[in-house]
Amino acid sequence: ADRRRFLALAGALLLALPACASVAAVTLPRLDGRLRVSPRLHPGLDGPGGFLKVRPEGWELPVYVLRDGADGFVALSPLCTHLGCVVEVEGSVLVCPCHGSTYERSGRVVRGPAERALRSFPTALEDDGTLLIDVRGGER
């Protein structure tokens, strides 16, 4: 009975984790149209393959920040360019749950029906390690 109860609880927790992870985003203020992210304060950005959702204050949707190599970062809109569904990061790719469009972590389309890359936001790494993300172009 204890084993069954443990397995049921463990299964419920595993099912809940992806849902929780998919909605969690760090809300950040926009200063001069830019977000400031300190990668060292966000373990999700540690090393290649890292990922973090940041939500500019006042925006409905987050911006996906992806670690690109040792010192590079990419900031992408989560909106699929096919019909506007929200894509999810799945390891080395971003996948649209609506029609299966698949994107590289750079935002480039690798499988349709989408034909255009995900919208990207300019990034710059300051000398102190702070990542600047320029979101002045707006949410959409």
Side-chain angles (χ1 to χ4, degrees), residues 12 24 31 33-34 38 40 48 51 56 58 61 86-87 101 107 113 129 138 140:
L31 304 171
R34 295 180 184 93
S38 181
R40 67 182 170 273
F51 164 65
L61 294 171
V86 175
V87 300
S101 292
R140 303 251 180 239

Side-chain angles (χ1 to χ4, degrees), residues 106-127:
S106 66
R108 188 178 75 83
V109 176
V110 292
R111 188 178 110 203
E115 296 178 356
R116 290 178 292 116
L118 293 172
R119 178 179 178 201
S120 65
F121 298 93
T123 62
L125 198 57
E126 294 191 316
D127 291 339

